């Protein structure tokens, strides 16, 4: 699916604009969001709702900063995001 162009005023990653992404803090995450590309409809709700702004407009997660809160999985109506055990990716 092709992404629609966004206005220049929308930042690529919300936390970068807010200055939050200073120290890598994903190390204590117990679960990580995993996106199923086949189910994703590119609605960008996860991008907008992630409290740490670690999902890009292209819908990829920056695991250096994702805390594993699961909000993105909750907000994703198509069910494209699953929270998986972090230990399985060590
Ligand atoms: S909320 Fe779900 S469907 Fe929408 S862009 Fe994010 S992963 Fe894709
Ligand atoms: S689990 Fe939380 S911090 Fe990580 S990408 Fe989803 S909403 Fe953002």
């Amino acid at each position: 699916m092709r992404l629609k162009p966004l206005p220049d005023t929308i930042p690529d990653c919300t936390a970068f604009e807010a200055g939050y992404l200073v120290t890598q803090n994903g190390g204590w995450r117990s679960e990580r969001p995993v996106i199923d590309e086949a189910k994703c409809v590119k609605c960008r709700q996860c991008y907008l709702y992630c409290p740490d702004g670690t999902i890009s407009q292209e819908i990829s997660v920056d695991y250096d900063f994702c805390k594993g809160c699961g909000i993105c999985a909750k907000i994703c109506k198509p069910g494209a995001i699953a929270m998986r055990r972090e230990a399985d990716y060590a």
Side-chain angles (χ1 to χ4, degrees):
M1 176 179 288
R2 288 177 60 92
L3 293 174
K4 292 180 184 175
L6 292 173
D8 292 339
T9 51
I10 298 177
D12 180 55
C13 192
T14 53
F16 280 118
E17 285 294 302
Y20 295 154
L21 297 184
V22 176
T23 304
Q24 292 187 2
N25 54 10
W28 45 267
R29 184 179 56 233
S30 61
E31 290 186 314
R32 67 165 55 191
V34 177
I35 298 173
D36 183 339
E37 296 288 338
K39 291 183 181 175
C40 177
V41 297
K42 306 295 186 189
C43 65
R44 294 195 179 101
Q45 290 300 297
C46 54
Y47 157 77
L48 292 171
Y49 276 87
C50 173
D52 291 307
T54 59
I55 301 179
S56 72
Q57 289 184 40
E58 301 301 319
I59 317 302
S60 68
V61 178
D62 187 333
Y63 290 113
D64 284 342
F65 298 99
C66 165
K67 294 187 178 75
C69 66
I71 289 174
C72 55
K74 290 279 187 190
I75 204 71
C76 178
K77 287 188 178 176
I81 304 179
M83 298 304 292
R84 304 288 189 205
R85 280 173 19 107
E86 186 67 27
D88 293 340
Y89 294 86

